[in-house]
Structure formats: C-alpha cells, structure tokens
Amino acid sequence: MPVAEEAITAVTCKNCETLFEGNFCPNCSQKAGTHRFTVKHFLHEFLHAFTHTDKGIFFLIKEMMVRPGKVAFEYNAGKRKKYFNPFSFMLIAMALNVFLTQKTDFYGAFINATEKFVKEISKLDTSKKTDTTDSTAQLEKARQQTPKMLENSKLLMAILYLPFLSLLTWIFFKNAGFNYAENLVLNTLIAGQTSLLFIVFCITPFVLYNPIIIFLPYLYMMGVWFYNLVAFRQFYRQRKWAIFWKGSVLQIIYYIFANQVGNAILDYL
C-alpha cells in the first residue's frame, strides 16, 4: 500500500506577503516559520547579529584587520551575505568613536597638550623671541570647532568626505575597472575600521597614560596611511610602487581638502 505523501501547505510571507511553499520565502528569504518575540529570542538575535560568522560585525572587524581590500573586493563581487553591511558598520563604528571621544575629551586634552608644548618651546628659545600668537589663535579655533566637528562628523563623512575620497580613488585607479559606487564601498569599509582603530590606538593609550596624547594623532595618521595602502593593494591589485605613489598622493589631496573645506563648513555651522 503506497504511503501517502505529506501535504505541502502554501504560506504567505509575513515580511513581503508573497505566497510560497517551503521553508524560506523566494522573494525576500525570510523563514516561513516565525515566532512571537520573547526575551530569550531577543538575546539570541542580538548575539547572532554581532557574533555569527555569517554577517557578524566582529567577523567583519577581524577580516578588515588583516585583509581590508579583499573584503571590499568580495563584497563588490557579490558576497553580500558573508559580511555585515558596510554602511551600518561605518555608522556604528563612528557613533562609538564619537561617544568615547566626547567622554574622554580626547581632542580637548590634545589641544591643551599642544598649547603647553608650544609655550615650552618658546621659553627654551633664548636666541630670539618666538611669537606664538598665530599658534595660540589656531589652537583656540580648533578648541571651538571640536564640539561642532564631533556633532556633525557622521554627516560630513557621509555627504562630503567619503564621496570626495571615493572620487579620488576612482580617478587614480580608474584602470582597475571599478566604478564609483564600488570605490565608495571600499572607502566606507575603511572608514568604519579606521574609526575603531582610533579607539584602540588613540583613546585607549590616552586613558591608560595621558602624557603620550601629543604623539598619538600623528602616529595614528601614519598608521592609517599605511593601512590604506594595504587596502588599495589588495583591492586594486596593481604593482606595489603604483599603489604607493597613487595612494600617497591621493591621501595628501584628501587631507588638504578635508582640512580646508571642513574648517570652512564648520565656521558656518
């Protein structure tokens, strides 16, 4: 006697309302079976989003530490489910960066340390009188702009810095075959990772030992310069010397633009 086949019941996806049969919606990939949220389910989803090897943010951070250009290359090539969303990653990293920078008053302490250093240099210069008026004025301007910079950093990054940097990388590495949007993905991932690296290599050492703050931003900038070159090398896959001079020149242009245009905008905010 033949065994009756189990009846397959069509279900309607609760996310996009597509009628389908099976365990996953063919339109949006949501599971057929959903459940009412409990605290247990909430904690599971929360931990899954951050720690799961598939799309987990910690997995992305680890991968961006050792192979940033390859991550961007794979994401652009279509491996979207493997990695945490780059744009969400950048916003989370920048938000954490701004929060800790404000809480520790990193930039305020850096300006104070720089001001103290300039005054000490002027005292040691016994051969001639050193006019520190310009330096003091610049430091005072920086002190006034710091709160506005932190408050508007995500907006400036999203609509000004990242689009311009991506335009530069697209122009300098146009022969690599990537379009503007694909360059934007690369630089978004780098921006998120370097925001976290600032926490690790600037804020953390400052909290542990305050006097070294005057050196930290400069060491960080050198580290970011090298990190970008590694990412460019892995992503564009060009010769080392081509990556070195193109990557160095475009970063110099970018920093000049970010400094001059950013300051001009902050003056009017």
Side-chain angles (χ1 to χ4, degrees):
M1 182 175 182
V3 180
E5 294 185 1
E6 185 178 350
I8 301 176
T9 305
V11 297
T12 300
C13 176
K14 294 182 180 179
N15 183 57
C16 66
E17 299 184 353
T18 298
L19 185 66
F20 68 98
E21 296 177 352
N23 296 323
F24 295 92
C25 172
N27 185 49
C28 69
S29 300
Q30 176 165 291
K31 286 183 178 181
T34 58
H35 50 74
R36 187 174 181 179
F37 263 108
T38 64
V39 173
K40 179 181 177 180
H41 291 137
F42 178 83
L43 292 175
H44 172 76
E45 293 290 335
F46 179 81
L47 293 174
H48 182 279
F50 280 88
T51 62
H52 200 272
T53 55
D54 182 23
K55 296 176 65 176
I57 192 170
F58 290 139
F59 173 72
L60 176 60
I61 292 170
K62 178 181 74 70
E63 291 293 286
M64 284 296 296
M65 195 67 237
V66 296
R67 53 189 207 107
K70 292 180 180 178
V71 170
F73 185 91
E74 290 181 352
Y75 193 86
N76 279 319
K79 293 186 177 181
R80 310 288 161 79
K81 288 186 68 66
K82 182 178 179 180
Y83 299 110
F84 193 82
N85 183 276
F87 306 101
S88 299
F89 170 58
M90 183 192 72
L91 292 175
I92 292 172
M94 288 191 65
L96 182 61
N97 181 304
V98 171
F99 173 76
L100 293 176
T101 300
Q102 289 176 325
K103 283 295 182 182
T104 58
D105 192 26
F106 181 88
Y107 286 119
F110 174 71
I111 292 170
N112 291 336
T114 304
E115 190 173 25
K116 182 179 178 181
F117 178 76
V118 169
K119 290 179 179 178
E120 290 295 329
I121 291 296
S122 65
K123 290 179 182 178
L124 292 174
D125 190 356
T126 56
S127 60
K128 58 180 179 178
K129 292 184 178 179
T130 304
D131 186 5
T132 61
T133 305
D134 290 341
S135 298
T136 303
Q138 291 175 3
L139 289 170
E140 184 57 34
K141 181 181 179 181
R143 194 191 310 278
Q144 294 173 359
Q145 286 187 340
T146 296
K148 291 188 289 185
M149 178 191 69
L150 292 173
E151 182 180 351
N152 297 280
S153 60
K154 292 191 289 296
L155 182 63
L156 288 172
M157 180 63 74
I159 68 173
L160 183 65
Y161 297 150
L162 268 181
F164 181 73
L165 177 59
S166 299
L167 178 64
L168 289 177
T169 56
W170 177 66
I171 292 173
F172 275 76
F173 297 102
K174 195 170 183 179
N175 60 344
F178 296 99
N179 63 30
Y180 176 78
E182 290 166 335
N183 279 270
L184 195 59
V185 169
L186 168 68
N187 290 307
T188 298
L189 285 164
I190 292 175
Q193 188 72 5
T194 52
S195 292
L196 295 179
L197 292 177
F198 183 86
I199 296 172
V200 175
F201 295 107
C202 285
I203 295 179
T204 302
F206 163 64
V207 171
L208 296 176
Y209 187 64
N210 293 7
I212 64 173
I213 189 173
I214 196 167
F215 306 107
L216 294 175
Y218 303 108
L219 294 174
Y220 170 74
M221 288 179 64
M222 292 175 60
V224 168
W225 170 79
F226 178 76
Y227 180 81
N228 283 337
L229 292 182
V230 171
F232 295 160
R233 168 71 171 166
Q234 294 176 352
F235 185 73
Y236 298 111
R237 304 184 179 190
Q238 296 184 358
R239 290 178 299 176
K240 291 181 180 179
W241 283 110
I243 292 292
F244 177 81
W245 80 262
K246 288 181 182 181
S248 298
V249 171
L250 75 85
Q251 287 188 78
I252 292 172
I253 296 173
Y254 169 71
Y255 281 122
I256 293 174
F257 170 85
N259 183 61
Q260 297 299 321
V261 178
N263 286 341
I265 292 175
L266 291 173
D267 284 337
Y268 290 98
L269 289 178

